[in-house]
Amino acid sequence: MSRYEFSLRQEVLMEKGASVLGNLYHYEREKNLTGQNHPVRVMYDLVWTAKRDILLATSEKELDRIEGQFDLAKGFLFRIEAETNA
């Protein structure tokens, strides 16, 4: 992967991370969740850290790991929303 492709992937992941953070934030506000130890808040913090790590990444493997964390958070939110709406 060229440096350009790597940088482009970082940019795409930054956008994906921002989307996941936004969705978690809106869910947290909509449900009026409080407390630093609430699972949604913990997931938000983990995604925030992963998003920050994008710019520190030096390999494709690191970007793969970060993308996996974003996918996990999206799945988590999807399931928690489905349970709430059921």
Side-chain angles (χ1 to χ4, degrees):
M1 174 178 282
S2 72
R3 184 67 195 147
Y4 172 78
E5 291 169 323
F6 188 83
S7 294
L8 182 60
R9 182 149 184 235
Q10 284 177 305
E11 186 64 34
V12 169
L13 285 177
M14 291 292 285
E15 292 296 323
K16 186 174 185 176
S19 174
V20 173
L21 284 174
N23 292 339
L24 287 166
Y25 175 80
H26 289 297
Y27 182 83
E28 183 180 8
R29 292 292 173 219
E30 179 182 301
K31 301 299 180 188
N32 198 26
L33 303 176
T34 59
Q36 295 291 18
N37 293 328
H38 191 282
V40 173
R41 184 67 197 164
V42 171
M43 185 62 73
Y44 183 93
D45 290 342
L46 290 171
V47 171
W48 183 266
T49 300
K51 189 172 181 293
R52 184 200 64 214
D53 289 346
I54 292 169
L55 297 177
L56 301 174
T58 58
S59 71
E60 288 180 62
K61 186 174 182 176
E62 289 173 289
L63 294 182
D64 289 341
R65 180 187 55 78
I66 291 166
E67 186 168 21
Q69 289 176 322
F70 292 162
D71 291 340
L72 176 67
K74 283 174 58 176
F76 168 81
L77 188 57
F78 177 80
R79 292 290 300 267
I80 205 167
E81 286 178 325
E83 292 296 321
T84 302
N85 294 330

